[in-house]
Amino acid sequence: MSEGKTALVLSAGGMFGAYQAGAFGVIADRFQFDLVVGTSVGALNGWPIAGGCSPDELIRRWLDPATGDSLRLVPNPGLRNGWFNPAPLQKLTSDLMAQYTPQIPFAMVTLALPRFKTTVFQYPEITAEHLRASSSIPYFLPAVEIHGTRYLDGGVFEKCPLRVAMDLGATRIIAVDCLPDMAPRPVRLVLSALRRFRHKTVIPPGLELTLIEPTAFMGTPQDAVFWKEANVRRWIDLGRADAARLL
């Protein structure tokens, strides 16, 4: 491989994405990135980061209660009515698109239906609908149709898209994986079976990988969905502490 690239890779994680904001506050002082790759909330954090958002600004965004509105329950949630209103997430992604333009290459991961194919989009082909699709959690939010194809949350199969960064030429990766495995056992078994048909991510000998993960309990699945200031502050502090310890 010719000239190496340093990539920032950000995982899925819902409201746990605040952990990535805290970690980024430490990472940004130590690395200059040539590429940002994200999926789900990692795409929502990665887009402003690629657009020059400072660590303090990203943290302020997470501390803003308006962030919690991106996942808002519909009246009488359930199988008949769905669970979350897609309109707030649509507004969030439109606002991100209006406020930031990537200054370095940015890529994001989605899942194309009906074959559940992992699909990567890169700037400048990315729109607000692509960002929304990458965060459209199956069962909770409807798929997003783009040019006749429906897309869902890319974190289903690419929780932390290291492979995408490698495919785009990264030789050094700083990855922040904020999503613990919290799914119920039946869901984990289904995902495990499906992932057997996917390409496994093999870390080549020449790749320099730094993986930042939570060293303390993050919370319940409910915490990952609903914004609470105390949780957000705790996750930001934990992300900052874990990144400082590892780096």
Side-chain angles (χ1 to χ4, degrees):
M1 190 174 296
S2 56
E3 185 178 355
K5 295 180 182 179
T6 299
L8 175 65
V9 176
L10 301 172
S11 76
M15 292 299 163
F16 293 154
Y19 177 92
Q20 295 174 348
F24 180 61
V26 175
I27 294 169
D29 289 337
R30 290 164 169 78
F31 297 96
Q32 184 172 349
F33 293 103
D34 305 299
L35 169 69
V36 179
V37 179
T39 189
S40 194
V41 75
L44 300 184
N45 279 331
W47 179 267
I49 288 174
C53 177
S54 70
D56 288 343
E57 183 179 349
L58 188 63
I59 288 173
R60 283 197 298 271
R61 293 186 66 89
W62 274 100
L63 290 174
D64 185 346
T67 299
D69 289 339
S70 60
L71 289 176
R72 186 187 305 162
L73 285 170
V74 299
N76 302 315
L79 290 175
R80 178 181 295 274
N81 299 321
W83 290 89
F84 291 99
N85 183 350
L89 181 59
Q90 186 172 18
K91 181 181 185 306
L92 172 64
T93 55
S94 296
D95 289 346
L96 286 174
M97 191 66 54
Q99 294 171 27
Y100 301 100
T101 300
Q103 301 172 11
I104 59 175
F106 172 78
M108 49 156 282
V109 182
T110 61
L111 196 65
L113 299 176
R115 299 182 64 182
F116 292 93
K117 180 183 178 182
T118 297
T119 305
V120 179
F121 292 99
Q122 300 181 59
Y123 176 78
E125 66 179 325
I126 295 171
T127 67
E129 294 301 281
H130 290 86
L131 288 177
R132 182 161 70 92
S134 185
S135 298
S136 291
I137 307 167
Y139 180 68
F140 292 107
L141 284 163
V144 178
E145 184 170 332
I146 303 172
H147 302 310
T149 300
R150 294 183 301 137
Y151 296 94
L152 283 171
D153 192 317
V156 174
F157 292 121
E158 294 281 352
K159 182 185 79 160
C160 192
L162 302 175
R163 178 182 58 83
V164 175
M166 290 187 289
D167 289 346
L168 294 175
T171 55
R172 173 195 283 172
I173 295 177
I174 312 300
V176 186
D177 185 352
C178 64
L179 182 60
D181 193 354
M182 304 181 304
R185 188 170 184 272
V187 176
R188 292 202 305 270
L189 290 174
V190 171
L191 289 176
S192 177
L194 289 172
R195 285 167 181 163
R196 291 179 183 177
F197 298 96
R198 305 286 162 171
H199 294 294
K200 291 184 178 180
T201 299
V202 178
I203 306 300
L207 179 73
E208 182 182 340
L209 172 63
T210 301
L211 181 60
I212 300 170
E213 299 177 295
T215 56
F217 177 67
M218 292 287 282
T220 66
Q222 185 176 8
D223 291 328
V225 173
F226 298 108
W227 185 94
K228 292 182 181 179
E229 182 178 349
N231 284 341
V232 169
R233 290 188 181 277
R234 179 169 64 85
W235 297 330
I236 289 171
D237 290 343
L238 180 61
R240 185 184 290 118
D242 286 344
R245 174 187 56 81
L246 194 57
L247 298 176

